[in-house]
Amino acid sequence: MIDADDAVHWWGLVLAPALLAAYAYAAAAGSAARTARASGAPAAAALAAPAREAAGLLLRRRRTVPGADTLLWRVGIASVPVAAVMAVLVVPVGGRAIADLSIGVVWFNAMEVLLWGGMWLAGWGANSVWGLVGGYRYLIQGLSHELPHMFALTTAAVGAGSLRVGDIAAAQQDVWFVLVMPAAFVVYLVSALAMSFWPPFDQPVGRDLSGGAAAEPSGPDRLVLLAGRHAMLAAAAAMAVPLFLGGGAGPLLPGWAWSLLKAAAVLALLVWAGGRVPAVRMDRFAEVGWVVLLPLVLLQALAVSVFVVAGWM
Amino acid sequence: MLEAFLLLAAALLAVGLYGALSQQSVVMVMMGLELMLNAVMVAAAAVWFHTSPHSADGQLLVLAAMLAMAVEMAMGFAVTIAIFRARDVDVTDSAGDLRG
Amino acid sequence: MAEWTVFVVCAVAAVAAGAAVFRVDSMARATFALLASFVFTAVPVLLLDLAYLGVLIVLMMTMEMVVMAVFMIMFMMNPAGLMPMTMVHNTKGALAISIAVFCVLAAGALLVPWPRESAPPPADPTLQLGEAIMGDDMLVMMVAGLVLFATMVSGVVLATGRGRYDRYGDDLRGRPDDPIRGGVGR
Amino acid sequence: MDSFWPALALFAVASAGVLGLYGAAALLSVGEPLVREPYMGGSPVSEHAVSRFHVRWYAVTLLFIAFDMEMVFMYPWVLVVAEKGMHAVGEMFGFLAVLVAAVVYAWREGAFRWT
């Protein structure tokens, strides 16, 4: 455990968080441009909007609430971006991850679940009703999408017979998993939106709660929470590439370029879909997640397992 | 190194036992039980690594402890909800009192 | 040496967080102290080459402790610990018993001549676990399936205040009388 | 054998990033924090938010805790299914079918509805 493994790419410690930040910024800029275009403003000016907002949040006088549990509040908010960065530990770019753990899929799952605690604490710590309700909304969304999400991850792992993300990407030499397991891919995308409470699953920070879990955080707290949310969406989009889209495979360009391009495409799809799909209320989604998505992805997993055992994959 | 892991497990078990014995609320008692099962997991993992890594029994014991924890939690909460609904209490001392 | 440092730091933190569970007033803090204790014990498990089980502890315990927090807030009279109050009985006796148990276990841990295995651990403990689950120890999974089934059914029976007959009426023919319509079905 | 040192290092990098943001804000931001009542749409705040909160979906949590224990077995199963063959597929999906039966029962009882 102490020896530096060959599979460890230490330079990724700087590069991966930087890339994640760039993708998170792109997601923020993309959704700002979409909003601007919808309201008739020039979309190009919106590309700098997230930077302006971040600078404003850094400079602004912060607010706090009497009776807030500051320790838990800060820990909860900070855990959102930290979990997103930790999740990309196992995400390969062109076949090279920081550390391609033998249980990479479980690692990604565990890091993404840390947001449950983080978001609930972000809501609870503020001593604000809206924030608290937002935190609870995030939990019921998690309870609804997490099992289908886990089975979607497992389906990709079954296809490769390995929990190592690098092996899963390598197993798609002949055919990308998105073609073999489309239902798992769709469920994965739905859960990617839900885990980063991106529209249409943005009820935890919904307008009807005047911002929900994000109602009270101000200044750097708010910046960290929102940056973490965008980073989580970017991390989930990046993970879709080795799981379903063949990793770095592609003609002409080198592997790393294909990985980055595909991740950007998935992220663009998620941001775009977020603006097109009507909001999904969590009280409806609970039953849909358990009664529709769960059996659907289980049948998908069964089909893939049979393919694997029969030697068709 | 095995001794160090077992000491950690013993300390966690003792802390959990203290909580399970001294707390009145059902939910807090469950937290004590969870800490004790946590100790079981550490001890099982350490014993597996140091005495019998060739068989998976130690690992299975960790899984069994985790399963016990989940079942204990789910059933504990279900029973607490049922008691709470019927009697409006969540304290072990009152739940033992049979008069309604 | 580095591993030893990590072990000592995490072991001390795990026990301290475990003790904090019963010391803090706020139920939210108590629950997340317990989660911290689990995460800190996952690190020593990772040090034992059990990558899968260590990460699994983080995964499962995060979900379980957040659910625990939900119930803590629902049931406890003073979830944020804003009014000092205690809900304990017989602390002295519990403390004495716990210390005695710790001493016995610690003596056992230090004095028992534990058998040592010279054979190295398997290259992939996760694979070993999978083979055990699907091979000789299949019974574990079978029993687990039945236990989980029983847990789910009895959990629903005990926990839901309104079952089928409450929602649809005695002849099961009315429209469900739900405060909020679900996503699937009537 | 996995090395988790990169994970520890990445945790340090991520934490340093978050702390850096807080540090920058401490240097750049204007004035002391303003202590204000939580936003309630203009209504006066009459009580702490952090009091008892009745979630309406508590039955889902129980089902989830039980069902997610299945993943404990499924992740290692992934590694051996190709080698063990159809018999392993049957075992795992039989196991899952039992749990799905419990989910269907819960659905019929309305456990996924807010009560």
Side-chain angles (χ1 to χ4, degrees), chain A residues 1 59 61-64 66 85 102 109 127 130 132 136 150-151 154 216 221 283 287 290 302 309, chain D residues 2 5 10 22 29-30 32-34 36 38-39 48-49 53 55 70-71 74-75 86 93 112-114:
Chain A
M1 154 122 197
L59 296 173
R61 182 178 182 189
R62 69 197 291 178
R63 301 172 64 221
T64 181
V85 172
S102 68
N109 197 183
N127 190 14
W130 299 143
L132 191 59
Y136 280 107
M150 285 170 159
F151 284 109
T154 318
E216 292 301 332
D221 290 330
D283 43 6
E287 209 164 84
W290 280 82
L302 175 61
V309 170
Chain D
D2 288 304
W5 294 114
L10 189 63
Y22 274 106
S29 67
V30 188
E32 288 294 298
L34 178 69
R36 287 289 307 275
Y39 176 72
H48 280 288
F53 187 95
V55 301
E70 181 278 339
M71 292 314 293
M74 194 153 185
Y75 279 130
M86 222 36 111
F93 283 89
F112 301 115
R113 305 267 167 114
W114 268 226

Side-chain angles (χ1 to χ4, degrees), chain A residues 23-124:
Chain A
Y23 275 68
Y25 187 88
S31 63
R34 199 191 58 216
T35 317
R37 215 181 56 181
S39 64
L47 296 180
R52 277 200 302 274
E53 193 185 336
L57 287 174
L58 278 180
L59 296 173
R60 199 168 298 162
R61 182 178 182 189
R62 69 197 291 178
R63 301 172 64 221
T64 181
V65 181
D69 191 335
T70 311
L71 172 70
L72 292 187
W73 198 14
R74 293 272 166 76
V75 168
I77 287 173
S79 71
V80 176
V82 170
V85 172
M86 298 282 277
V88 296
L89 178 79
V90 294
V91 179
V93 173
R96 273 170 296 207
I98 302 175
D100 202 3
L101 302 176
S102 68
I103 40 86
V105 170
V106 190
W107 172 268
F108 180 83
N109 197 183
M111 290 307 117
E112 151 257 301
V113 161
L114 286 181
L115 252 65
W116 287 29
M119 283 300 292
W120 187 80
L121 285 180
W124 164 269

Side-chain angles (χ1 to χ4, degrees), chain C residues 6-176:
Chain C
V6 169
F7 172 79
V8 170
V9 168
C10 288
V12 171
V15 176
V21 171
F22 305 109
R23 300 288 306 161
V24 293
D25 283 334
S26 159
M27 294 304 119
R29 288 193 177 194
T31 316
F32 282 86
L34 187 56
L35 176 57
S37 176
F38 280 120
V39 173
F40 282 122
T41 43
V43 176
V45 175
L46 291 178
L47 291 175
L48 294 167
D49 280 345
L50 291 170
Y52 173 63
L53 292 181
V55 177
L56 193 69
I57 289 175
V58 176
L59 170 64
M60 291 295 164
M61 291 310 134
T62 308
M63 297 190 292
E64 290 190 8
M65 285 308 115
V66 175
V67 168
M68 179 75 97
V70 167
F71 283 94
M72 291 283 270
I73 305 308
M74 262 207 301
F75 285 132
M76 300 304 241
M77 286 170 214
N78 182 19
L82 297 170
M83 307 162 280
M85 64 179 281
T86 54
M87 292 269 285
V88 290
H89 52 196
N90 194 20
T91 40
K92 289 208 182 88
L95 194 62
I97 294 173
S98 308
I99 290 174
V101 166
F102 174 74
C103 292
V104 170
L105 290 177
L110 296 178
L111 299 180
V112 169
W114 293 96
R116 293 295 168 153
E117 176 64 45
S118 50
D124 188 352
T126 322
L127 184 64
Q128 184 194 39
L129 186 58
E131 280 173 346
I133 289 171
M134 277 295 129
D136 306 336
D137 295 311
M138 183 97 74
L139 194 62
V140 177
M141 208 178 94
M142 294 293 100
V143 173
L146 294 178
V147 167
L148 292 179
F149 176 79
T151 306
M152 290 168 81
V153 170
S154 48
V156 168
V157 169
L158 286 169
T160 52
R162 289 163 5 96
R164 211 152 46 106
Y165 289 96
D166 305 300
R167 295 169 57 230
Y168 289 95
D170 290 340
D171 55 358
L172 291 179
R173 264 184 299 186
R175 290 182 61 79

